[in-house]
Amino acid sequence: MPFDIFPVDPETFFRVQRSGQPLVAYECKLQEVGCGMLVEGTTSAISAHLRGHGITGPETASTSCTWGGCSKTLKRGCMTRHILTHLGVKLRCSVCGVVKCRLDLLRAHVKSSEQCRFAFVDIVHGPEGHLLVPESLVIAHQV
């Protein structure tokens, strides 16, 4: 079976190779068309990728989202979480299955629910995610 080749953000590439575990990444769509690189759907990876696009400055500075044609104005510090909504990445309580779009909301749920107090976070990946597999797993499974 042939593999698709995508340009991968260097930080995301090194993270998947270092961890030895597959991860889900999403195509950058900043400025509507984006750079086309695949970026892991986490706040830290997206934040680093935004810096690579020159989106920096004070957390409270006003900025516009340009992801896939969006034009919402928000604080720069909220941009990473906002992009996760474009990607469709959500978080699910491992006990009751409630789904939240932000970690702070899921933490509040866990804290307020007696039955969920020992829950952990399940990531619900967005529909446009691509599975990145480390080279070590590909080589180990070649026939």
Side-chain angles (χ1 to χ4, degrees):
M1 168 168 51
F3 293 102
D4 292 329
I5 305 296
F6 294 98
V8 178
D9 178 81
E11 187 169 315
T12 297
F13 176 80
F14 290 123
R15 189 178 354 257
V16 74
Q17 295 305 330
R18 262 193 323 266
S19 73
Q21 298 295 314
L23 60 80
V24 177
Y26 302 84
E27 185 177 348
C28 172
K29 294 182 180 175
L30 281 170
Q31 289 93 27
E32 295 186 34
V33 292
C35 66
M37 293 232 179
L38 293 182
V39 181
E40 184 179 7
T42 62
T43 54
S44 60
I46 291 170
S47 183
H49 193 73
L50 290 173
R51 286 191 301 274
H53 277 278
I55 300 173
T56 60
E59 297 280 309
T60 58
S62 182
T63 188
S64 292
C65 176
T66 61
W67 193 276
C70 179
S71 59
K72 184 174 183 175
T73 300
L74 52 137
K75 293 179 183 174
R76 197 205 57 77
C78 298
M79 180 72 85
T80 300
R81 286 191 323 203
H82 176 72
I83 288 174
L84 285 172
T85 65
H86 287 300
L87 301 179
V89 176
K90 298 186 186 310
L91 307 166
R92 180 176 39 230
C93 173
S94 64
V95 174
C96 72
V98 72
V99 175
K100 301 289 183 180
C101 61
R102 296 189 341 234
L103 183 57
D104 60 318
L105 298 175
L106 187 63
R107 283 185 179 147
H109 158 74
V110 169
K111 190 175 181 179
S112 69
S113 171
E114 181 64 30
Q115 76 175 30
C116 298
R117 66 185 179 138
F118 296 114
F120 56 89
V121 175
D122 289 327
I123 297 174
V124 179
H125 297 289
E128 295 182 15
H130 299 275
L131 185 66
L132 300 181
V133 180
E135 291 174 346
S136 59
L137 289 179
V138 173
I139 292 169
H141 290 91
Q142 284 182 343
V143 177

